[in-house]
Amino acid sequence: MSESVRVLPLQRVSAAEAAAWHEVVVASMAHDLPGVPPPGPGQVTAQLTRPALGSRRLTWLATGADGVPVGVAGLRVFTSAGRDHLAELELHVDPAHRRLGAGSRLLSAVVAACRTENRRSLVAAAADGSPGEAFGERLGFHRVLTLDHLILRLDELPEADLLRIVGTAPPGYRLTGWTGTVPDELAAAFAEAKNAMNDMPMGDMDYGSVAWDGDRVRAMAKVIADRGDTLLTIAAVHEDGTMAGYTEILLPQGSGPRAQQYDTAVVPAHRGHGLGLWVKAAMVRHLRAEHPGVVEIETDNADDNAHMLAVNHRLGFRSYRRTHEFQLDVPAT
């Protein structure tokens, strides 16, 4: 049966290929992740056709004997110093066409590309108990990190609780915020704060690190805007001008009901003052006031990130699913 599956690398992704990709992803997620909203067609097209920050994307489409798309694979090849050993995999097979060899053939193409690109580590995520988890373990991936996914329903948060948190400013700090690109006068301080993410718990994952500067934070915001998404940031600034912590929320294009948490970080020298909870509560109030169509926020934390899990639970986030990050150590040719 596997002889009927063809795997084709995509060069410039056409509108028809993006539509086929979207159909496969929607079918795969509906089966493996019921209740998780799939990306919209515009989001998929932007992902496939717009450059990502500090990386290149390689893509493959698997078709059956009749030419019908049955599977897709995307490989994000990181190019930034500190991550130029790494690639990240997204792979989906339509449930109606599984066990015909499409997943194995796509993965073979991906691993070959990793060798060509001199990548030693290939990482991928799979939902707990899903077919993807079993597939990865069978083909040599090993589990390196477990993520708890949490949902915060904004309509379940009493306004009085939020006011109490936001109104109790830690001495010596103030809040600021922006939409999209960081203001020029804050860019350097924001970049320094972004570097605090490099000590985030990552289990046994060979994920490397990123060095942030003003140009990189501006480039990140441009990438997000170019694909049609909106990035919101709330930050805590110390009286000495240091940006002590921040939180970011992504509104996918179309600003649907579920927002995605991006980074939340507190600079090590400013930890222990409740800044993480403070900026996140301020963000919830901002969403309520400026983006009333958003009704929930999804975030994820490593299961050993006890501090951020405690902050999120204090704010009202509730666990609803788990995923595992897997890593394949790619042998050199």
Side-chain angles (χ1 to χ4, degrees), residues 229-276:
D229 299 337
T230 300
L231 184 66
L232 309 175
T233 307
I234 298 287
V237 179
H238 191 257
E239 58 191 9
D240 66 4
T242 301
M243 190 168 293
Y246 66 93
T247 190
E248 297 169 319
I249 287 287
L250 184 83
L251 304 180
Q253 53 181 258
S255 191
R258 180 176 292 187
Q260 297 291 329
Q261 179 76 63
Y262 261 32
D263 292 350
T264 298
V266 176
V267 174
H270 296 272
R271 291 172 184 169
H273 301 291
L275 297 180

Side-chain angles (χ1 to χ4, degrees), residues 78-98:
F78 291 89
T79 55
S80 301
R83 284 188 181 169
D84 51 6
H85 65 284
L86 181 70
E88 188 172 43
L89 169 66
E90 177 189 7
L91 191 153
H92 295 275
V93 177
D94 187 321
H97 299 278
R98 290 179 179 174

